[in-house]
PDB file of all heavy atoms in Angstrom:
ATOM      1  N   ARG A1319      -5.202 -21.571  -2.764  1.00 97.00           N
ATOM      2  CA  ARG A1319      -4.240 -20.809  -1.843  1.00 97.00           C
ATOM      3  C   ARG A1319      -5.102 -20.009  -0.911  1.00 97.00           C
ATOM      4  O   ARG A1319      -6.145 -19.421  -1.248  1.00 97.00           O
ATOM      5  CB  ARG A1319      -3.412 -19.875  -2.726  1.00 97.00           C
ATOM      6  CG  ARG A1319      -2.332 -19.088  -2.009  1.00 97.00           C
ATOM      7  CD  ARG A1319      -1.350 -18.340  -2.850  1.00 97.00           C
ATOM      8  NE  ARG A1319      -0.493 -17.580  -1.947  1.00 97.00           N
ATOM      9  CZ  ARG A1319       0.531 -18.157  -1.291  1.00 97.00           C
ATOM     10  NH1 ARG A1319       0.892 -19.421  -1.524  1.00 97.00           N
ATOM     11  NH2 ARG A1319       1.293 -17.484  -0.464  1.00 97.00           N
ATOM     12  N   VAL A1320      -4.695 -20.007   0.397  1.00 98.00           N
ATOM     13  CA  VAL A1320      -5.429 -19.214   1.395  1.00 98.00           C
ATOM     14  C   VAL A1320      -4.445 -18.323   2.063  1.00 98.00           C
ATOM     15  O   VAL A1320      -3.373 -18.792   2.618  1.00 98.00           O
ATOM     16  CB  VAL A1320      -6.076 -20.078   2.427  1.00 98.00           C
ATOM     17  CG1 VAL A1320      -6.795 -19.316   3.529  1.00 98.00           C
ATOM     18  CG2 VAL A1320      -7.141 -21.098   1.735  1.00 98.00           C
ATOM     19  N   GLU A1321      -4.756 -17.008   2.105  1.00 98.00           N
ATOM     20  CA  GLU A1321      -3.877 -16.024   2.733  1.00 98.00           C
ATOM     21  C   GLU A1321      -4.545 -15.582   4.029  1.00 98.00           C
ATOM     22  O   GLU A1321      -5.857 -15.688   4.147  1.00 98.00           O
ATOM     23  CB  GLU A1321      -3.641 -14.804   1.854  1.00 98.00           C
ATOM     24  CG  GLU A1321      -3.144 -15.031   0.475  1.00 98.00           C
ATOM     25  CD  GLU A1321      -1.621 -14.907   0.441  1.00 98.00           C
ATOM     26  OE1 GLU A1321      -0.999 -14.672   1.521  1.00 98.00           O
ATOM     27  OE2 GLU A1321      -1.065 -14.982  -0.663  1.00 98.00           O
ATOM     28  N   CYS A1322      -3.836 -15.123   4.994  1.00 98.00           N
ATOM     29  CA  CYS A1322      -4.464 -14.684   6.250  1.00 98.00           C
ATOM     30  C   CYS A1322      -3.683 -13.435   6.861  1.00 98.00           C
ATOM     31  O   CYS A1322      -2.400 -13.420   6.813  1.00 98.00           O
ATOM     32  CB  CYS A1322      -4.410 -15.789   7.204  1.00 98.00           C
ATOM     33  SG  CYS A1322      -4.991 -15.286   8.865  1.00 98.00           S
ATOM     34  N   VAL A1323      -4.418 -12.398   7.260  1.00 98.00           N
ATOM     35  CA  VAL A1323      -3.813 -11.266   7.898  1.00 98.00           C
ATOM     36  C   VAL A1323      -4.508 -11.039   9.228  1.00 98.00           C
ATOM     37  O   VAL A1323      -5.746 -10.965   9.236  1.00 98.00           O
ATOM     38  CB  VAL A1323      -3.879  -9.961   7.100  1.00 98.00           C
ATOM     39  CG1 VAL A1323      -3.058  -8.816   7.681  1.00 98.00           C
ATOM     40  CG2 VAL A1323      -3.519 -10.180   5.608  1.00 98.00           C
ATOM     41  N   CYS A1324      -3.772 -10.860  10.278  1.00 98.00           N
ATOM     42  CA  CYS A1324      -4.387 -10.570  11.550  1.00 98.00           C
ATOM     43  C   CYS A1324      -3.754  -9.273  12.095  1.00 98.00           C
ATOM     44  O   CYS A1324      -2.683  -8.927  11.697  1.00 98.00           O
ATOM     45  CB  CYS A1324      -4.305 -11.656  12.614  1.00 98.00           C
ATOM     46  SG  CYS A1324      -2.678 -11.856  13.342  1.00 98.00           S
ATOM     47  N   VAL A1325      -4.512  -8.597  12.966  1.00 98.00           N
ATOM     48  CA  VAL A1325      -3.945  -7.407  13.627  1.00 98.00           C
ATOM     49  C   VAL A1325      -3.033  -7.851  14.696  1.00 98.00           C
ATOM     50  O   VAL A1325      -1.834  -7.441  14.763  1.00 98.00           O
ATOM     51  CB  VAL A1325      -5.113  -6.503  14.108  1.00 98.00           C
ATOM     52  CG1 VAL A1325      -4.543  -5.235  14.692  1.00 98.00           C
ATOM     53  CG2 VAL A1325      -6.064  -6.167  13.028  1.00 98.00           C
ATOM     54  N   HIS A1326      -3.529  -8.546  15.692  1.00 98.00           N
ATOM     55  CA  HIS A1326      -2.726  -8.900  16.864  1.00 98.00           C
ATOM     56  C   HIS A1326      -2.297 -10.344  16.947  1.00 98.00           C
ATOM     57  O   HIS A1326      -3.150 -11.279  17.124  1.00 98.00           O
ATOM     58  CB  HIS A1326      -3.617  -8.577  18.151  1.00 98.00           C
ATOM     59  CG  HIS A1326      -4.182  -7.249  18.141  1.00 98.00           C
ATOM     60  ND1 HIS A1326      -3.445  -6.075  18.167  1.00 98.00           N
ATOM     61  CD2 HIS A1326      -5.529  -6.812  18.125  1.00 98.00           C
ATOM     62  CE1 HIS A1326      -4.249  -5.059  18.139  1.00 98.00           C
ATOM     63  NE2 HIS A1326      -5.480  -5.457  18.160  1.00 98.00           N
ATOM     64  N   ALA A1327      -1.060 -10.613  16.680  1.00 98.00           N
ATOM     65  CA  ALA A1327      -0.495 -11.946  16.635  1.00 98.00           C
ATOM     66  C   ALA A1327      -0.158 -12.520  18.051  1.00 98.00           C
ATOM     67  O   ALA A1327       0.928 -12.483  18.512  1.00 98.00           O
ATOM     68  CB  ALA A1327       0.800 -11.968  15.793  1.00 98.00           C
ATOM     69  N   LEU A1328      -1.223 -12.987  18.663  1.00 97.00           N
ATOM     70  CA  LEU A1328      -0.999 -13.520  20.032  1.00 97.00           C
ATOM     71  C   LEU A1328      -0.439 -14.920  19.978  1.00 97.00           C
ATOM     72  O   LEU A1328       0.317 -15.313  20.899  1.00 97.00           O
ATOM     73  CB  LEU A1328      -2.333 -13.484  20.840  1.00 97.00           C
ATOM     74  CG  LEU A1328      -3.005 -12.131  20.983  1.00 97.00           C
ATOM     75  CD1 LEU A1328      -4.128 -12.203  21.984  1.00 97.00           C
ATOM     76  CD2 LEU A1328      -2.002 -11.093  21.555  1.00 97.00           C
ATOM     77  N   PHE A1329      -0.808 -15.714  19.051  1.00 97.00           N
ATOM     78  CA  PHE A1329      -0.261 -17.049  18.867  1.00 97.00           C
ATOM     79  C   PHE A1329      -0.014 -17.846  20.163  1.00 97.00           C
ATOM     80  O   PHE A1329       1.127 -17.969  20.677  1.00 97.00           O
ATOM     81  CB  PHE A1329       1.021 -16.948  18.029  1.00 97.00           C
ATOM     82  CG  PHE A1329       0.813 -16.776  16.590  1.00 97.00           C
ATOM     83  CD1 PHE A1329       0.305 -15.581  16.145  1.00 97.00           C
ATOM     84  CD2 PHE A1329       0.929 -17.794  15.684  1.00 97.00           C
ATOM     85  CE1 PHE A1329      -0.050 -15.358  14.761  1.00 97.00           C
ATOM     86  CE2 PHE A1329       0.705 -17.595  14.294  1.00 97.00           C
ATOM     87  CZ  PHE A1329       0.146 -16.427  13.878  1.00 97.00           C
ATOM     88  N   ALA A1330      -1.057 -18.338  20.656  1.00 96.00           N
ATOM     89  CA  ALA A1330      -1.017 -19.248  21.912  1.00 96.00           C
ATOM     90  C   ALA A1330      -0.365 -20.503  21.508  1.00 96.00           C
ATOM     91  O   ALA A1330      -0.278 -20.844  20.276  1.00 96.00           O
ATOM     92  CB  ALA A1330      -2.418 -19.505  22.411  1.00 96.00           C
ATOM     93  N   PRO A1331       0.180 -21.271  22.480  1.00 95.00           N
ATOM     94  CA  PRO A1331       0.807 -22.553  22.129  1.00 95.00           C
ATOM     95  C   PRO A1331      -0.084 -23.393  21.235  1.00 95.00           C
ATOM     96  O   PRO A1331      -1.310 -23.485  21.538  1.00 95.00           O
ATOM     97  CB  PRO A1331       1.064 -23.151  23.531  1.00 95.00           C
ATOM     98  CG  PRO A1331       1.180 -22.051  24.430  1.00 95.00           C
ATOM     99  CD  PRO A1331       0.252 -21.009  23.875  1.00 95.00           C
TER     100      PRO A1331
END
Side-chain angles (χ1 to χ4, degrees):
R1319 185 170 177 81
V1320 178
E1321 304 267 4
C1322 173
V1323 188
C1324 75
V1325 181
H1326 308 296
L1328 300 187
F1329 283 71

